[in-house]
Amino acid sequence: MKLSNKIAIITGAGRGIGRAIAIAFAKEGAKVSLVARTVSELEETAQLIEEYGSTSLVIPTDVTQPSSVASMVQETVSQYGRVDILVNNAGVPGPIGALQSNKIDDWIKTIQVNVIGPYLCCKSVVPLMTNQGGGKIINLAGAGANNAWANLSAYCTSKAGVVRMTEVLALELENKNIQVNALGPGSIHTRMWEELRNGAEAANATKIQEIGDRVLSGGGASLENPAELAVFLASDDSGKLSGRLISAVTDDFNNIAAKIPEIMESEAFTLRRLDLD
């Protein structure tokens, strides 16, 4: 199995993409710390993981609070002895509507969950991975990372920030055998897209509402794709690939391994400005 005896922390593991990744990791032999705020949802994920003969640890955590994150990482180490993989999946859609009409507290909360949360988790695990001699960090991006959507300023800003943080951290850790990548899951029918769709209708955000209608009516991406991509990025299959944004929908990640040296010598799969010729 690709993740045999690996120890993984997955935030936002109570439902949706986080749950799908947790189950995929369990199938590949990983032991998982399930992290989120809602205990009942984490326990449901833990029960599903048990069906695959793997073990998990339920750790209620607020990823925006430094003490809560530090305690979660310490509990994982106390139970399993190490941390090999971190998946920063917890996220919120944020306020919908024109920037000037957004509530300040809602805008700030989006940055706290979507950017500060991954920062705190990375800050806590990087020293452990460094001492262990390596590790894998996966940060969930989203459509807001490489698309500017009107009426979704907080979300787009936060996800672009996550990708840039991924690139910077990858550079800082390139000699530590720690690979850091961003995962674009695609638009999937999850609770987040239900909130986006309903909020867009109320705010007359036509484009977001149209995409939401398509996603919620069966036209969205599959949960299996980001889970499969997460396994690839967490395993030895991804080699030295680092500092990249890989899409579970548009990128042929199953055949990317042979191209990793070429990719790492280029600006492929990064956020860069495009100049006129």
Side-chain angles (χ1 to χ4, degrees):
M1 293 187 285
K2 293 183 178 181
L3 302 177
S4 180
N5 297 318
K6 297 292 186 180
I7 308 303
I9 293 173
I10 302 175
T11 71
R15 60 177 185 262
I17 296 171
R19 175 177 287 180
I21 291 174
I23 292 173
F25 279 17
K27 288 180 179 179
E28 294 292 344
K31 299 179 177 66
V32 184
S33 281
L34 305 171
V35 177
R37 290 183 298 174
T38 306
V39 176
S40 60
E41 292 179 345
L42 292 177
E43 290 176 341
E44 289 176 3
T45 303
Q47 290 176 356
L48 293 170
I49 284 176
E50 288 180 6
E51 297 177 6
Y52 296 99
S54 186
T55 62
S56 62
L57 193 61
V58 170
I59 312 179
T61 305
D62 182 346
V63 297
T64 69
Q65 298 300 314
S67 59
S68 184
V69 171
S71 177
M72 174 270 293
V73 173
Q74 182 56 51
E75 187 172 349
T76 299
V77 174
S78 296
Q79 175 71 21
Y80 294 126
R82 58 189 292 121
V83 177
D84 300 299
I85 305 159
L86 168 65
V87 179
N88 284 308
N89 168 71
V92 295
I96 301 171
L99 181 148
Q100 69 273 15
S101 67
N102 293 160
K103 292 182 179 179
I104 294 174
D105 289 347
D106 291 343
W107 217 98
I108 292 173
K109 178 184 177 182
T110 307
I111 302 301
Q112 288 176 329
V113 175
N114 294 358
V115 182
I116 303 302
Y119 156 72
L120 291 174
C121 290
C122 288
K123 181 176 176 63
S124 290
V125 305
V126 163
L128 297 172
M129 290 181 174
T130 300
N131 290 336
Q132 294 166 184
K136 301 280 190 178
I137 297 175
I138 303 168
N139 297 320
L140 267 288
N146 49 12
N147 294 285
W149 285 358
N151 300 300
L152 209 57
S153 60
Y155 180 78
C156 290
T157 300
S158 70
K159 289 304 181 181
V162 165
V163 175
R164 186 62 85 203
M165 180 175 68
T166 298
E167 294 181 355
V168 171
L169 186 57
L171 291 173
E172 294 176 356
L173 299 174
E174 62 183 352
N175 295 320
K176 304 293 186 181
N177 192 32
I178 302 172
Q179 289 77 48
V180 190
N181 289 290
L183 188 162
S187 297
I188 299 169
H189 187 166
T190 60
R191 187 179 300 181
M192 178 180 287
W193 257 111
E194 292 174 358
E195 294 175 5
L196 282 170
R197 163 61 179 78
N198 295 336
E201 183 177 16
N204 293 317
T206 305
K207 180 176 181 179
I208 299 171
Q209 182 179 343
E210 289 175 352
I211 296 172
D213 286 338
R214 175 178 59 80
V215 171
L216 301 186
S217 62
S222 168
L223 275 173
E224 295 178 359
N225 288 347
E228 185 180 353
L229 175 53
V231 169
F232 169 75
L233 293 174
S235 71
D236 292 339
D237 289 351
S238 60
K240 298 299 182 181
L241 182 70
S242 193
R244 309 293 145 157
L245 168 58
I246 309 298
S247 169
V249 177
T250 61
D251 295 329
D252 184 14
F253 58 87
N254 286 313
N255 294 310
I256 210 172
K259 301 178 181 179
I260 290 175
E262 177 185 353
I263 292 169
M264 295 306 297
E265 291 295 326
S266 72
E267 292 187 339
F269 306 114
T270 62
L271 293 186
R272 296 292 182 268
R273 167 177 159 161
L274 295 178
D275 291 329
L276 290 173
D277 293 333

